Amino acid sequence: MASKSSKKKPNSKRSSSKPASSPMASPKHFHLKRFFILISIMLPVCVIVVLGVSSNTSYKISSDHYSVKIYGFELVNEFPHDPRAFTQGLVYAGNESLYESTGLYKQSTVRRVAIQTGKVEVLHKMPDSFFGEGLTLLGERLFQVTWLTKIGFIYDTKNLQKLDRFTHQMEDGWGLATDGKILYGSDGTSTLYQIDPQTLKATRKQVIQFNGREVRYLNELEYINGEIWANVWQTDCIARISPKDGRMLGWILLPTLRQGLIAAGYNGIDVLNGIAWDSNKNRIFVTGKLWPKLYEIKLHPVRRQIDNKDIEQLCVP
């Protein structure tokens, strides 16, 4: 497992050395807005061009004798996001704010951020020796894991003060989510863990597969309407997984978000990472490492048949 995990952050850290552009730079902002207006019109065509198919009918692909749905997206809103934030965990906090965990040694934080402005409202600086990773909210406590360790931290939601420290049984700390009762975790492999929040012991492990292949590099997690959504590191895809049996339920394809930022001149960005869910208003938020934008998106099914091999190329490293 160490060989897989060791691939994750060295590449990301190298790319993080590039200067990230300010999200408030006016020319880029207007070019980016125009780009996404065009994308909102052309998205079905863009997805089709990438996948080499046409769009006529609603489509599901068959994987291991069950149907897997494929989704594109509609851009609902975009908001400023700290371009220096190496986003590793994202959670809706209520009151139009998010909790966010950021990584990199000597730069890792846990913070509460205003959605509309991107302003950091409360910030907890982690010790320099820890690399912050996945974050989730259970009750009045925030749980966080750290990279290349089996150590995690628990924080108070009001002031982000550290309440406790724990150890877990995953091979590494990458992602966390919760359904309000148990924790779900990822460690950069294809394994999805279920964890008792009282003992922090792993109670169940599921290996996630698509088309007979393990879906490795499961990263940031979110629990949404009875599903686990997982960023897959080094891809522009989000996997939708059944926590009941580990089945793949669908793929969300988001390549045009990163492509749009690059087209607007934001060349210092890293990979897609960060999913937050506002259950009261049914809003989905996504961002990435060193991205100057946070996006609110709405999903829609991709049309017509897509070959499993095309999805593997896009989403299964």
Side-chain angles (χ1 to χ4, degrees), residues 12 20 38 52 81 96 110 119 123 131 135 137 153 166-167 177 180 212 224 240 255 277-278 298 311:
S12 299
L38 178 62
H81 180 253
E96 293 300 305
V110 178
K119 179 182 177 182
L123 185 140
F131 194 123
L135 185 76
L137 172 63
F153 299 103
F166 64 88
T167 57
I224 300 178
R240 297 176 62 165
W277 168 243
D278 173 8
K298 182 178 180 180
I311 295 297

Side-chain angles (χ1 to χ4, degrees), residues 71 227-229 238-242 247-250 252 299:
Y71 298 88
E227 301 177 5
I228 294 294
W229 290 20
I238 294 175
R240 297 176 62 165
I241 302 165
S242 167
R247 285 189 302 120
M248 275 294 307
L249 301 174
I252 302 167
L299 302 189

Side-chain angles (χ1 to χ4, degrees), residues 13 103-109 125-132:
K13 285 166 71 176
L104 300 178
Y105 291 115
K106 300 184 178 181
Q107 299 180 44
S108 292
T109 67
K125 174 74 167 58
M126 296 177 65
D128 290 350
S129 58
F130 285 102
F131 194 123

Side-chain angles (χ1 to χ4, degrees), residues 6 8 40 50 73 101-102 140 174 195 219 221 258 311:
S6 64
K8 182 184 182 189
S40 66
V50 171
F73 72 96
S101 170
T102 70
E140 296 298 317
W174 282 41
I195 302 168
N219 201 1
L221 305 176
R258 183 176 50 83
I311 295 297

